[in-house]
Amino acid sequence: MYRRNFLSTFQSGVAVGISGVLAGCSSTDNKSSDQTGPPEDQRFRYFFQDKPGTLGAVAEHNQPPADAADWQIIENTLTEDDWAELRLNDIEYAQAYMAGETVQPTDGTSGTPEKIITRVQELYENADASGAVAFTEALIAAEDGISKAEFPEQLVPNIAKYAIEELGYEFPGYSLSPIQAVHPVPGDYDGLKPETIRETGVSAAIAPERVGTFGEMRTTLYLLMFETDDGAQVRYVNRPPFNPWYLRDTLREPTESVYREPLSKDFYTIGGTQGRPVKQYPEHFVTSLDYRKAAKMRDQDLLKDGELRKSLVGSALSIVENGEQDKSRPAGAALGCNGNRGYQIEALSHAFGTSVDDFVTDPSTDQRKRFIEFGRAIYLIFETQFGNDSTGDPVFGYDQPLKIAGTLAAPELYHLPKECQESAER
């Protein structure tokens, strides 16, 4: 099955709540029509026919009514094995990246994914601990030691599932996928938002004197999900060598991470490599899943409008499909939107954003499954409705707006007219 590169198009977005019918636009929702094709100038809701039953609650909540038009109904034929293959064949991206055959800015790296997997086995089976966390730490250490990649962000998650399969390990509910985040950078960078620039309290090699942010989610970290006897677990994972001056450690529960430090706190300190404390600021840390904090940052002009909604949706999508190249595309081929700002997530309701926020801080097995099922629904919409006409046969072009409403337990997905703007409710 061919795949499109969706994740790289979701590098920005911010959530806005909306309700009611679009101002200045007509709405069909699920009303029948004599038209033979979808009305691009109207808002309508998407429904799902889920033949293998792999969409779970998202399909149950979006069953097509009797009067739904054909263009509103998306048919899912992917089995659990098909969905699993979408992650297993992400190894092809890692292979192409390390060989210097992708459109990413790389001339190749040392080693191969196979060498990384061999090293993972050595590290993991000689570690003091076992389980999903120990495996993830071994995988990151193995990749870092072998590839020396300049832009390694997607290598580790694209190797993870394949490595588990190859080594015969079993980690229930295991998923490792990239998410976007705001991180501080030295204050002399061009383009920093002036209101984010602060003093670190040091002038040494351990940290810059001044730091700030671009107000954008430019940095990649990983979302780790797995199951234990205590239920679903969620961790934020950073690469160990990545700017260690501003991180407490590499792997933490979200509620204990720097990303959840409240904006009400002026600053906090971490120890430097020379024993000197470094001031850190809560507004310099937030991920695409920390909805409430990110929304406050947006309202305070610390996060640019448009940065959260696409990144949040991209996080759900990357759990389902994260590869950027496979056998169906020649090496070096342009992928996805080829540099376009990406698919238009024009609206994300407050209720939906907070339901994702609640899942991250208080995970459950049911909510973990619903987050994955939501990603699957988004994947199917993009595969069948949006995209580049030269790759497949989408109903619309890739610039179609999408509205996400409801909650994670009961999402609602709508097509929006390109020329219509929804009123924002903060």
Side-chain angles (χ1 to χ4, degrees):
M1 130 187 4
Y2 79 93
R3 306 177 297 152
R4 296 194 186 96
N5 167 27
F6 296 128
L7 182 62
S8 64
T9 68
F10 285 93
Q11 301 303 313
S12 61
V14 80
V16 290
I18 50 179
S19 62
V21 178
L22 297 178
C25 302
S26 58
S27 173
T28 64
D29 274 354
N30 60 310
K31 297 174 184 175
S32 59
S33 171
D34 294 332
Q35 291 181 260
T36 58
E40 295 193 32
D41 62 342
Q42 295 183 20
R43 164 193 170 216
F44 58 83
R45 183 173 175 179
Y46 287 113
F47 300 101
F48 296 88
Q49 288 182 339
D50 185 19
K51 291 188 175 181
T54 58
L55 297 183
V58 68
E60 293 169 6
H61 184 69
N62 291 278
Q63 286 289 300
D67 60 349
D70 289 345
W71 60 78
Q72 294 179 260
I73 303 172
I74 296 177
E75 183 179 279
N76 172 40
T77 60
L78 299 182
T79 66
E80 287 295 344
D81 286 344
D82 292 329
W83 290 116
E85 177 60 20
L86 286 179
R87 286 316 304 257
L88 286 173
N89 65 16
D90 286 344
I91 190 66
E92 295 167 8
Y93 168 80
Q95 291 167 338
Y97 183 97
M98 296 184 75
E101 296 174 350
T102 69
V103 294
Q104 296 290 338
T106 176
D107 293 324
T109 71
S110 302
T112 63
E114 288 71 25
K115 289 183 178 180
I116 291 175
I117 293 170
T118 298
R119 181 58 177 156
V120 169
Q121 184 176 29
E122 295 172 356
L123 293 173
Y124 178 69
E125 295 182 2
N126 287 283
D128 294 331
S130 62
V133 170
F135 169 80
T136 303
E137 292 175 332
L139 179 59
I140 293 173
E143 184 277 318
D144 185 59
I146 291 176
S147 79
K148 309 296 184 187
E150 186 176 358
F151 300 93
E153 289 89 349
Q154 288 179 261
L155 280 183
V156 168
N158 283 349
I159 292 173
K161 279 286 190 180
Y162 185 84
I164 291 171
E165 186 86 2
E166 286 292 293
L167 297 173
Y169 297 153
E170 293 186 8
F171 304 121
Y174 187 95
S175 174
L176 186 69
S177 55
I179 58 175
Q180 298 303 114
V182 173
H183 276 173
V185 297
D188 56 357
Y189 272 66
D190 291 335
L192 295 184
K193 289 181 71 66
E195 52 269 71
T196 70
I197 298 177
R198 307 288 291 273
E199 303 292 332
T200 64
V202 299
S203 177
I206 60 172
E209 294 182 65
R210 300 166 72 244
V211 291
T213 78
F214 296 99
E216 298 173 352
M217 292 189 174
R218 292 191 175 195
T219 302
T220 299
L221 62 150
Y222 307 140
L223 177 71
L224 172 62
M225 300 191 297
F226 59 99
E227 296 280 337
T228 68
D229 292 340
D230 295 326
Q233 304 291 319
V234 171
R235 302 287 189 275
Y236 287 163
V237 186
N238 288 278
R239 294 175 55 80
F242 187 76
N243 287 343
W245 60 267
Y246 64 55
L247 293 174
R248 284 184 262 209
D249 53 18
T250 58
L251 194 152
R252 280 194 177 224
E253 293 186 24
T255 53
E256 298 178 357
S257 72
V258 294
Y259 306 101
R260 291 277 171 164
E261 288 284 357
L263 294 175
S264 58
K265 183 183 292 187
D266 184 31
F267 66 88
Y268 58 95
T269 60
I270 63 172
T273 58
Q274 300 173 8
R276 301 172 64 181
V278 179
K279 286 184 179 180
Q280 300 284 39
Y281 300 92
E283 65 267 28
H284 291 170
F285 298 91
V286 70
T287 81
S288 54
L289 304 181
D290 305 322
Y291 175 84
R292 289 179 176 88
K293 180 177 179 179
K296 290 179 181 178
M297 288 174 59
R298 172 207 62 203
D299 294 343
Q300 296 176 25
D301 202 28
L302 299 170
L303 184 66
K304 293 180 181 178
D305 187 45
E307 281 298 304
L308 178 55
R309 57 178 178 257
K310 290 181 184 178
S311 295
L312 190 156
V313 173
S315 296
L317 181 62
S318 69
I319 295 172
V320 176
E321 160 66 306
N322 191 51
E324 298 193 9
Q325 183 166 326
D326 64 14
K327 298 174 188 174
S328 67
R329 292 178 177 276
L335 303 170
C337 295
N338 193 23
N340 182 274
R341 284 287 290 174
Y343 300 94
Q344 304 302 304
I345 309 301
E346 294 292 348
L348 181 71
S349 74
H350 178 78
F352 188 88
T354 55
S355 71
V356 173
D357 197 318
D358 291 339
F359 156 63
V360 172
T361 55
D362 187 19
S364 69
T365 298
D366 285 344
Q367 289 293 76
R368 178 184 62 81
K369 291 179 179 178
R370 286 169 179 168
F371 192 43
I372 294 172
E373 290 160 0
F374 167 71
R376 291 177 176 182
I378 294 294
Y379 175 87
L380 290 172
I381 289 177
F382 291 163
E383 280 286 303
T384 60
Q385 304 293 306
F386 305 163
N388 190 326
D389 289 335
S390 66
T391 53
D393 188 25
V395 176
F396 301 110
Y398 57 68
D399 57 350
Q400 292 297 301
L402 181 67
K403 167 190 170 183
I404 299 168
T407 65
L408 195 57
E412 297 178 7
L413 305 162
Y414 296 86
H415 169 269
L416 302 183
K418 285 192 292 185
E419 64 274 16
C420 298
Q421 299 294 321
E422 299 225 14
S423 60
E425 293 181 354
R426 298 291 176 95

